Amino acid sequence: MAHVKRLEKLTEDIHEREIYPVAFFSEAFDITNRIQALLHRMEVSELALFERQMKVHQAQIQSMGRLSDYMSSPSDTPSESLEIPPPALSPASPVPPVPSVPSVPPVTEKPATASPPPPVPRVTLPPVPRATPPPVPPPPPKRAAEKPEGWLNETIEKNRLADLKKAFTLNDRFRFCRDLFGRDESRMNRNLSDLNEKDSYEASIAYLRGQFGWNFEDETVAEFVAVLEKRFS
């Protein structure tokens, strides 16, 4: 918690300043590494606690499974089968003879003659009117030509590059000050102000060649020059 408060105080101290000191980046980088180390130790501790809890839960589940197997196993002593004797039957009484019934001749009926159905009257349906097709809607008016998708981003980028002292990120500003201007912020700001007055990319490169003995094939120099090229593109 103390590291977080220290980092917050450093940020508040340079919030209103136009030029950030090099010492700020070194101390902020050191505090950030300490915070990351503390977070890593906390993560390892939480993982170890979670693993112990999982082992306890697995042991409880296994014990419950063994208990359910014991409860559902059949008994070792077989159940005795009970034999129920059949009920005693009383001697049957003699059945009286069934009297014979005289046979009755079948009655034959004459089939009834069905009368023919009445004729079905014809119904004349009126003609079905044809449906008129719906009117065709007029074509939509042509919209004005839209601007390309990246137009707004390009405008914002050009406005940001108008002042080179505000065109770099904090990391790039720290790196350029360290590698190209010998950690001298005042010198870097003076040269950036002079570059702001140049009206072309060629004039900016000529100025750099006259002021510094840079190797323009170096990666850091190439990134700095790329910002100037983007400024005049």
Side-chain angles (χ1 to χ4, degrees), residues 37-47:
L38 290 174
L39 291 176
H40 178 68
R41 288 199 293 271
M42 291 174 62
E43 183 180 6
V44 172
S45 176
E46 290 296 328
L47 289 176

Side-chain angles (χ1 to χ4, degrees), residues 110-133:
K110 294 183 179 180
T113 57
S115 58
V120 179
R122 293 185 178 182
V123 178
T124 304
L125 298 177
V128 180
R130 295 183 179 180
T132 57

Side-chain angles (χ1 to χ4, degrees), residues 7 12 22 25 27 42 69 75 77 79 91 95 106-107 112 122 134 153 160-161 171 181 192 199 203 205 217 232:
L7 184 60
E12 290 178 353
V22 178
F25 298 99
E27 187 173 358
M42 291 174 62
D69 293 341
S75 177
T77 58
S79 59
V95 180
V107 179
R122 293 185 178 182
N153 294 333
R160 185 176 66 86
L161 295 174
N171 291 335
F181 297 96
L192 291 179
D199 56 355
I205 296 299
E217 295 182 358
F232 294 103

Side-chain angles (χ1 to χ4, degrees), residues 1-224:
M1 192 65 183
H3 298 315
V4 177
K5 290 182 178 180
R6 177 57 182 165
L7 184 60
E8 183 179 0
K9 186 176 184 306
L10 283 175
T11 307
E12 290 178 353
D13 291 342
I14 67 167
H15 181 67
E16 300 297 336
R17 299 179 60 177
E18 181 179 359
I19 300 174
Y20 301 132
V22 178
F24 163 76
F25 298 99
S26 300
E27 187 173 358
F29 182 76
D30 183 47
I31 294 174
T32 304
N33 286 339
R34 293 181 184 178
I35 293 174
Q36 289 180 350
L38 290 174
L39 291 176
H40 178 68
R41 288 199 293 271
M42 291 174 62
E43 183 180 6
V44 172
S45 176
E46 290 296 328
L47 289 176
L49 177 61
F50 178 73
E51 184 177 359
R52 290 196 298 270
Q53 291 178 350
M54 287 296 297
K55 289 182 179 179
V56 172
H57 291 328
Q58 289 177 357
Q60 292 177 353
I61 293 174
Q62 291 177 359
S63 63
M64 292 177 64
R66 289 194 295 269
L67 178 62
S68 62
D69 293 341
Y70 175 77
M71 296 289 292
S72 61
S73 60
S75 177
D76 295 337
T77 58
S79 59
E80 298 180 356
S81 59
L82 300 178
E83 294 184 358
I84 301 175
L89 301 176
S90 59
S93 57
V95 180
V98 180
S100 59
V101 180
S103 60
V104 180
V107 179
T108 58
E109 296 181 355
K110 294 183 179 180
T113 57
S115 58
V120 179
R122 293 185 178 182
V123 178
T124 304
L125 298 177
V128 180
R130 295 183 179 180
T132 57
V136 179
K142 295 184 178 179
R143 299 175 60 181
E146 297 181 352
K147 295 182 178 180
E149 184 178 354
W151 173 80
L152 181 58
N153 294 333
E154 293 179 0
T155 303
I156 295 174
E157 185 70 14
K158 288 184 177 180
N159 292 335
R160 185 176 66 86
L161 295 174
D163 186 2
L164 291 175
K165 289 192 289 186
K166 300 180 181 179
F168 305 114
T169 63
L170 293 178
N171 291 335
D172 289 343
R173 186 180 182 87
F174 173 76
R175 188 159 50 91
F176 292 153
C177 180
R178 180 191 61 192
D179 298 342
L180 302 181
F181 297 96
R183 300 180 182 270
D184 190 346
E185 293 186 56
S186 300
R187 182 186 180 192
M188 181 178 70
N189 289 325
R190 287 196 306 270
N191 286 276
L192 291 179
S193 298
D194 292 341
L195 288 173
N196 283 336
E197 303 298 328
K198 306 303 177 184
D199 56 355
S200 66
Y201 171 73
E202 291 76 10
S204 300
I205 296 299
Y207 172 81
L208 293 177
R209 291 185 184 277
Q211 292 290 327
F212 307 100
W214 290 349
N215 178 14
F216 282 80
E217 295 182 358
D218 181 73
E219 182 180 355
T220 305
V221 176
E223 292 180 5
F224 185 86

